[in-house]
């Protein structure tokens, strides 16, 4: 299989990761598109250096989150005084959820969006049901540090809900 075909196959199989990361770091659809494009470009640049010791999903999460954090920082400096929140990012289909559940999910999304870049990445992975070991591998920290950070973020989010 040609390199290009293999790359496209890997991206297609794991495109959900790209969308989850972009949705977590970007408020509007144009920024999300730009971020996804940048992530794919960086994945392509690093494809020759992929280490088969790791799963593709781990490699993609690691690069995606690093690109997203850089992108977020760059966007934040550009729009530092802007506070608009795109409501479509916070909207959850209420077919299966009652209004209270929907409100809580919207609050959670808002609270996660307000986290520091690294904490946001850790929470995204935690909500994806990644183990502390997987989070550590993707983020590049120790497993115990990942567990500690997850606990602290959960406590912080719990406190925000109580306010």
């Amino acid at each position: 299989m040609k390199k290009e075909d293999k790359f496209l196959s890997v991206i297609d199989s794991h495109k959900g990761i790209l969308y989850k990361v972009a949705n977590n770091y970007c408020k509007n659809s144009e920024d999300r598109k730009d971020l996804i494009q940048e992530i794919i470009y960086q994945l392509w640049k690093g494809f020759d250096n992929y280490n088969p010791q790791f799963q593709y999903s781990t490699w993609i999460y690691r690069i995606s989150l690093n690109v997203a954090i850089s992108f977020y920082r760059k966007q934040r400096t550009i729009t530092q005084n802007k506070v608009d929140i795109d409501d479509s990012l916070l909207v959850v289909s209420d077919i299966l959820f009652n209004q209270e559940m929907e409100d809580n999910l919207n609050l959670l999304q808002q609270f996660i969006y307000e986290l520091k870049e690294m904490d946001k990445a850790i929470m995204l992975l935690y909500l994806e049901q990644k183990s502390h070991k997987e989070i550590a591998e993707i983020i590049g920290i120790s497993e115990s540090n990942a567990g500690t950070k997850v606990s602290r973020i959960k406590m912080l989010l719990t406190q925000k809900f109580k306010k």
Side-chain angles (χ1 to χ4, degrees), residues 111-127:
F111 294 155
I112 290 172
Y113 194 82
E114 293 169 356
L115 292 172
K116 296 176 191 168
E117 296 91 2
M118 188 61 67
D119 291 348
K120 189 184 300 186
I122 290 168
M123 212 57 219
L124 172 68
L125 294 170
Y126 174 76
L127 292 172

Side-chain angles (χ1 to χ4, degrees), residues 2 26 29 33 41 44-45 53 55 62 65 69 74 76 79 90 95 102 109 112-113 125 127 129 144 147:
K2 292 184 349 187
C26 295
S29 63
K33 289 176 189 175
Y41 172 70
W44 174 251
K45 278 179 49 178
Q53 169 188 349
Q55 296 178 8
R62 178 171 243 171
L65 289 170
I69 289 168
K74 185 173 115 182
R76 188 178 63 193
T79 60
L90 303 175
I95 294 171
E102 184 175 338
Q109 182 68 36
I112 290 172
Y113 194 82
L125 294 170
L127 292 172
Q129 299 180 338
S144 62

Side-chain angles (χ1 to χ4, degrees), residues 58-72:
T58 300
W59 176 72
I60 290 171
Y61 263 122
R62 178 171 243 171
I63 290 177
S64 297
L65 289 170
N66 285 334
V67 171
I69 289 168
S70 296
F71 185 88
Y72 176 80

Side-chain angles (χ1 to χ4, degrees), residues 154-163:
K154 285 169 55 177
M155 284 180 14
L156 174 70
L157 293 174
T158 301
Q159 289 172 352
K160 286 186 172 220
F161 268 105
K162 290 180 180 178
K163 287 183 182 179

